[in-house]
Amino acid sequence: MGDDHDKLLPVANVGRIMKLILPPTAKISKEAKETVQECASEFLSFVTGEASDKCQKENRKTVNGDDICWALGSLGFDEYSQAIVRYLHKYRESEKERAAASFSSSATLVSNHIISPSELTSHVEKGESSHRNRL
């Protein structure tokens, strides 16, 4: 049972998500949370497995958002697939905007000589998301 339990989503997170749709005074039984936990975990495993199979056939090791969208459609969850495709598009757009804003902010700091270009390059190479820690 311990190994199977490790494959489930955290019940506290499931409970929090369930509460979002309910009135504030509503209560959710432990049994209801655990049932949804098992169903949601199984659904995610099912979809991810389909996406993983596709990646293996294509000799890829990384499952990405497009693979999940494809798997949803392939398994007959077309409405979910369409919604996830829209979400993924919006998410990627926001990430591009965030990256552009971050780059613009870094370029401004470099041009104002707060940090040198070599310091900025050093931070990027190290994978540091913020150079303010050194200021």
Side-chain angles (χ1 to χ4, degrees), residues 36-83:
V36 172
Q37 175 192 35
E38 290 176 24
C39 291
S41 299
E42 182 65 29
F43 178 75
L44 291 174
S45 181
F46 182 55
V47 173
T48 303
E50 186 75 8
S52 179
D53 290 347
K54 176 183 188 272
C55 290
Q56 282 183 330
K57 288 175 185 171
E58 296 175 359
N59 294 319
R60 293 187 294 121
K61 294 182 180 183
T62 304
V63 175
N64 61 40
D66 295 318
D67 298 320
I68 298 297
C69 295
W70 175 86
L72 285 165
S74 173
L75 294 168
F77 298 104
D78 296 325
E79 289 184 31
Y80 290 119
S81 177
Q82 293 167 10

Side-chain angles (χ1 to χ4, degrees), residues 94-115:
S94 71
E95 285 296 299
K96 285 180 188 175
E97 291 171 8
R98 190 170 68 95
S102 177
F103 177 76
S104 175
S105 173
S106 296
T108 300
L109 291 174
V110 169
S111 68
N112 289 336
H113 304 291
I114 293 174
I115 67 168

Side-chain angles (χ1 to χ4, degrees), residues 2-31:
D3 292 335
D4 290 340
H5 194 70
D6 290 342
K7 296 177 183 176
L8 299 177
L9 297 168
V11 73
N13 293 358
V14 171
R16 263 194 304 278
I17 293 168
M18 291 172 73
K19 284 184 177 186
L20 291 175
I21 196 67
L22 297 173
T25 58
K27 304 284 184 199
I28 305 169
S29 72
K30 181 179 177 184
E31 181 183 18

Side-chain angles (χ1 to χ4, degrees), residues 117-135:
S118 62
E119 286 178 304
L120 181 60
T121 302
S122 172
H123 289 286
V124 170
E125 288 171 354
K126 292 178 186 174
E128 296 174 6
S129 60
S130 174
H131 54 275
R132 295 180 187 204
N133 295 336
R134 296 193 54 190
L135 299 178

